[in-house]
Amino acid sequence: MKVSIIVAVSKNHVIGTKAGDLPWELPRDLKHFRETTHGFPCIIGRISLEGFGDLLPNRFNIIVSSKKEFFNAKDKTRINLPEYEKGITEKGAQYVIVKSVKEAVDYAKDVLKTDLVYICGGKGIYEDSQQYSHELIVTDVDTHIEENDVVIYNPFPSIDERNKWKVVNQIHHPKDHQNNLDFSITYYVKNDEILVGYEIDQTKK
Ligand SMILES: NC(=O)c1ccc[n+]([C@@H]2O[C@H](COP(=O)([O-])OP(=O)(O)OC[C@H]3O[C@@H](n4cnc5c(N)ncnc54)[C@H](OP(=O)(O)O)[C@@H]3O)[C@@H](O)[C@H]2O)c1
């Protein structure tokens, strides 16, 4: 199984606010997130889920939390889950609640038997899953966020970590009337590691 981290970061590695918001509005990057993850299981931390305000539709949501109920961060309404631990919502979003990133990755591999799972944040989920990950999809947003109460995640906290990854594709998106910041999306793959039973096709290296 391939484990893929998908994240958007500012120049100073801000990924969001502690209240659960994204610090920018980039519809084109959200479209990239939706299209990339569509149909695949997504591993997501409780605060990110509450920041999104609802389960991600058309995906199996693997929620990492010790809690039993979740609230939309904006209007504080309860996110409607018909059953604790595992189920499907009225809108057709499937979910399971697990207690750790390892449990989440194992669930995707052993129960869902998926070929690909996306890691959708936030910080603790990204950091704990990086060791299992084969792919990193990073949106670099051309801004410095100077607010307090932000959440920081640096995919490359050391030269050693950066050296584990190679760039395989990069797409630049200049700002436009709907997206008021430049950003670029870079696809990295881990150099030589075979992860969570995922076989790298040697002919494509
Ligand atoms: N820029 C992006 O691409 C992107 C993507 C997603 C989210 N975000 C941003 O990230 C921020 C939220 O991130 P966050 O780091 O504060 O919260 P988070 O990771 O979304 O959620 C934290 C909660 O998830 C559970 N959890 C997280 N890591 C865990 C671990 N390793 N083991 C067990 N449980 C774990 C715990 O839940 P319990 O407390 O319930 O036990 C913890 O309190 C928001 O600002 C959001 O907008 C940004």
Side-chain angles (χ1 to χ4, degrees):
M1 180 182 75
K2 179 167 136 181
V3 180
S4 180
I5 289 178
I6 183 161
V7 63
V9 295
S10 73
K11 280 175 175 279
N12 52 336
H13 308 122
V14 172
I15 60 166
T17 68
K18 289 200 172 145
D21 289 325
L22 289 176
W24 44 73
E25 274 192 38
L26 295 171
R28 203 191 298 170
D29 187 52
L30 287 180
K31 184 166 180 272
H32 149 73
F33 174 82
R34 278 198 308 275
E35 290 179 352
T36 303
T37 61
H38 187 101
F40 293 102
C42 288
I43 297 175
I44 175 172
R46 194 251 311 162
I47 294 174
S48 297
L49 170 71
E50 294 184 333
F52 293 157
D54 205 348
L55 296 179
L56 299 168
N58 307 308
R59 295 151 189 80
F60 196 110
N61 294 248
I62 307 176
I63 304 162
V64 185
S65 177
S66 57
K67 296 202 176 352
K68 297 187 176 183
E69 48 185 13
F70 308 103
F71 296 88
N72 181 317
K74 288 188 188 70
D75 61 18
K76 309 297 176 206
T77 54
R78 188 195 301 258
I79 297 175
N80 198 11
L81 304 183
E83 290 170 77
Y84 179 54
E85 280 187 357
K86 189 172 181 302
I88 179 162
T89 67
E90 279 174 4
K91 293 180 196 162
Q94 289 177 278
Y95 65 91
V96 65
I97 302 166
V98 298
K99 292 205 163 29
S100 69
V101 172
K102 176 156 191 332
E103 218 185 304
V105 172
D106 286 347
Y107 190 91
K109 179 167 66 79
D110 299 332
V111 181
L112 301 181
K113 299 191 189 304
T114 182
D115 290 335
L116 172 61
V117 63
Y118 283 100
I119 309 293
C120 299
K123 176 190 175 70
I125 308 293
Y126 288 136
E127 288 178 346
D128 277 17
S129 62
Q130 195 146 331
Q131 61 184 307
Y132 306 112
S133 298
H134 169 263
E135 181 181 51
L136 253 175
I137 306 173
V138 182
T139 297
D140 287 296
V141 184
D142 190 16
T143 185
H144 273 87
I145 305 293
E146 302 301 347
E147 293 165 34
N148 296 324
D149 294 332
V150 291
V151 180
I152 306 265
Y153 162 64
N154 181 356
F156 307 121
S158 65
I159 291 173
D160 277 355
E161 186 58 37
R162 177 65 189 85
N163 286 340
K164 288 181 189 167
W165 299 87
K166 67 180 172 200
V167 173
V168 290
N169 196 10
Q170 189 167 58
I171 303 159
H172 295 285
H173 294 277
K175 64 184 159 199
D176 58 28
H177 61 289
Q178 285 184 320
N179 301 267
N180 67 347
L181 296 166
D182 292 337
F183 64 93
S184 59
I185 300 172
T186 307
Y187 294 77
Y188 301 84
V189 294
K190 213 173 235 172
N191 284 327
D192 288 321
E193 294 186 42
I194 294 174
L195 295 144
V196 206
Y198 175 70
E199 304 279 335
I200 295 174
D201 183 347
Q202 298 294 327
T203 60
K204 291 186 183 160
K205 283 183 103 181

